Amino acid sequence: MIIENQAMVTDAVTEAVSRTEDPRLREILLALVRHLHGFVREVRLTEREFQQAVGIIAAMGQKTTASHNEVVLMAGSLGVSSLVCLLNNGNNGQTETQANLLGPFWRDDQPLSASGDSLVRSPTPGPGLIVRVSIEDGQGRPVAGAEVDVWHSSPEGLYENQDPAQAEMNLRGRFVSDEAGRFHFHSVKPAGYPIPVDGPVGELVKATRRHNYRPAHLHFMVYKPGFKTLISQIYSPDDEHIESDVQFGVTRALIGNYVRHDEPSPEPGFAAPWYSLDQRFVIEPGEAKRPVAPIRAKAEAATPRGR
């Protein structure tokens, strides 16, 4: 098709894309062209703005390394990650769900740990935390043999694989639920932390006059053949940014009951104050799949804090 005016550009691209053989890919591409071209027309994108947009996309790729994923960070900062999660869980986004963001710092080789173990593998100051977890199916029956990955940031707001000062696999573990669908562990209470603002995501956050903090949370991933893999985060309600997460990840179903204790604990000997969390997860039938780790290496030097 020979282009004669701006309207014909969309017609030409649509015609070309409509020849895509895979039905789902064809559906996605046609919608992408329709909405992308519509966006350009709605905002009357200038040539200068187009070049700036291309520069932002290029910069996200250049900023992404084996230990940092700027693209994942941008998707979260625009609410896309949360939207995709909610649309694919909780009865297709119609009800509350315990599903949440994977985040960029999960590792697929987290060490198998026994119930009652500590996640602390190097000196990590902070209030003690005891977590008791139960796994159930939709009928309230305990699920035994579920593998549950747990990981979180330090009280300084850094994950082990972005902080060379932490020991390998610090604040990480993989547990297996017992016949009652339970396990427990202890660690330190995580803190909220800022996402990096030294790249394109930071420019976006600054331009929209938002802070760049995530509220404190624990990550969980529940894997059991025959059930849909559940990826979750459980947020601490006492965090000052609980209602303004820069990554738009907090839903009401994910706010945990972190109970503060002002007397020393007899076991495992935490000084006051310390915290406890009893967390119940419900998993549904479906395909069990492990995700691909967003980053692949531990940072070699101190880096800005990340998600």
Side-chain angles (χ1 to χ4, degrees), residues 36-145:
L36 184 57
H37 286 216
F39 162 77
V40 171
R41 291 190 176 95
E42 179 181 341
V43 303
R44 300 190 65 83
L45 198 68
T46 67
E47 292 174 336
R48 180 179 179 181
E49 290 165 342
F50 172 70
Q51 293 300 325
Q52 290 174 328
V54 169
I56 290 172
I57 294 171
M60 284 193 293
Q62 293 160 356
K63 189 69 178 174
T64 297
T65 67
S67 59
H68 173 78
N69 195 315
E70 189 80 2
V71 178
V72 171
L73 204 61
M74 180 65 84
S77 298
L78 290 172
V80 176
S81 299
S82 289
L83 179 58
V84 170
C85 176
L86 292 172
L87 282 172
N88 285 274
N89 295 279
N91 189 26
N92 298 319
Q94 302 307 305
T95 61
E96 285 194 320
T97 175
Q98 291 182 308
N100 203 232
L101 314 173
L102 176 66
F105 296 116
W106 172 70
R107 293 182 60 168
D108 59 6
D109 55 350
Q110 298 193 169
L112 186 63
S113 306
S115 183
D117 279 356
S118 174
L119 300 186
V120 180
R121 306 177 193 279
S122 62
T124 311
L129 174 67
I130 296 176
V131 181
R132 293 174 286 263
V133 178
S134 62
I135 311 296
E136 300 177 2
D137 65 14
Q139 286 70 50
R141 297 172 298 200
V143 177

Side-chain angles (χ1 to χ4, degrees), residues 17 22-35:
V17 167
D22 183 273
R24 177 58 176 162
L25 179 58
R26 182 171 61 248
E27 177 186 7
I28 291 172
L29 290 175
L30 286 170
L32 174 63
V33 171
R34 182 172 68 253
H35 289 287

Side-chain angles (χ1 to χ4, degrees), residues 233-251:
Q233 296 183 31
I234 303 301
Y235 296 89
S236 180
D238 61 357
D239 192 287
E240 63 178 315
H241 300 113
I242 192 69
E243 295 189 6
S244 57
D245 178 13
V246 67
Q247 296 281 285
F248 304 101
V250 181
T251 67

